Amino acid sequence: MGFCMTDDRVEEILIHNDELKKGIEKAASWIDKNYFGKEPVLIGLLKGCIPFYGHLITLIKIDFTTDFMVVSSYKGTNKSSGKPEIVTDIYTDISDKDVILIEDIVDGGYTIKYVKEYLSKKNPKSVKVITLLDKKEGRKVEFEPDYKCFDVADKFLVGFGLDYQEKCRNLPHICVMKKIK
Ligand code: IMP
Ligand code: MG
């Protein structure tokens, strides 16, 4: 069960940690299969990606390099502003490289669409997106991730990296947050 249910901010556990790990194993296999003979750059979108990224890289068998970006889109609320901002850019020269963006959740789609377009201007060979969660009902712009581990309903989620006002990232499961009164 884990300690989420003793957290009074949590309504229910949506995806248990064991299930998350199984989903992440499949994502690693997808990378091994699709990037065999290549050396992709795995760019994590901080900070939500941390547990997903951390688990994923220990399961990938092919060689790859790592980098990160800090992109803010929420500004401490539970509604996306729709205007992402690149707070910290990558260090890697990605020209002619295969890039895989690692995201925690695609909701409205603004953040990932913006980052993908931004990185595409740096002349990579390819840019693909892997997301742990896809909240398709929340979509405001047209965007389809290349790989998703789980589809989720349009509810506000916390845990396994996802935050509410920077808290709850440490919960081991993906949980539905209680409605804020
Ligand atoms: P989008 O630009 O609307 O797709 O928002 C994507 C970003 O918003 C994600 O990278 C998350 O950081 C955050 N986000 C979206 N949905 C949730 C949620 O249910 N809980 C916590 N953060 C979320
Ligand atoms: Mg994020």
Side-chain angles (χ1 to χ4, degrees):
M1 181 62 94
F3 63 86
C4 296
M5 295 320 288
T6 60
D7 188 310
D8 59 13
R9 293 166 293 191
V10 164
E11 184 74 52
E12 58 166 332
I13 294 175
L14 191 67
I15 312 169
H16 193 280
N17 185 271
D18 295 339
E19 211 185 320
L20 288 168
K21 284 182 178 158
K22 281 184 210 146
I24 299 170
E25 271 173 34
K26 288 186 191 153
S29 303
W30 185 87
I31 292 175
D32 283 336
K33 185 168 154 256
N34 285 276
Y35 290 86
F36 183 78
K38 299 174 182 175
E39 203 176 281
V41 187
L42 266 60
I43 301 179
L45 300 191
L46 294 171
K47 297 173 267 187
C49 78
I50 292 173
F52 178 36
Y53 194 102
H55 276 82
L56 183 67
I57 63 165
T58 64
L59 300 166
I60 298 169
K61 295 190 182 72
I62 61 159
D63 283 336
F64 58 89
T65 59
T66 60
D67 210 332
F68 298 92
M69 288 173 93
V70 178
V71 184
S72 77
S73 51
Y74 260 66
K75 313 262 192 291
T77 69
N78 62 356
K79 287 252 153 50
S80 178
S81 65
K83 282 195 197 77
E85 185 192 329
I86 291 163
V87 180
T88 310
D89 206 344
I90 49 167
Y91 287 108
T92 313
D93 176 6
I94 58 164
S95 59
D96 217 29
K97 298 262 177 68
D98 292 298
V99 169
I100 309 176
L101 273 169
I102 311 293
E103 176 64 304
D104 52 358
I105 182 165
V106 180
D107 182 12
Y110 300 112
T111 311
I112 199 66
K113 195 172 185 191
Y114 179 80
V115 173
K116 193 177 175 184
E117 283 167 8
Y118 175 81
L119 291 178
S120 298
K121 289 183 194 136
K122 296 180 188 266
N123 300 313
K125 196 187 281 172
S126 67
V127 185
K128 290 202 172 176
V129 172
I130 296 190
T131 188
L132 179 66
L133 309 174
D134 188 2
K135 202 193 273 183
K136 228 173 165 176
E137 284 169 51
R139 209 69 99 247
K140 299 278 188 292
V141 291
E142 213 173 296
F143 184 84
E144 194 65 46
D146 297 284
Y147 189 92
K148 60 178 145 185
C149 297
F150 302 94
D151 281 301
V152 290
D154 194 7
K155 291 179 179 169
F156 196 78
L157 307 173
V158 290
F160 206 75
L162 272 73
D163 71 302
Y164 173 64
Q165 296 185 343
E166 294 299 327
K167 308 256 170 61
C168 301
R169 294 192 196 275
N170 55 324
L171 301 177
H173 320 293
I174 294 290
C175 305
V176 178
M177 195 155 156
K178 272 196 185 137
K179 290 237 160 59
I180 307 146
K181 281 156 205 143

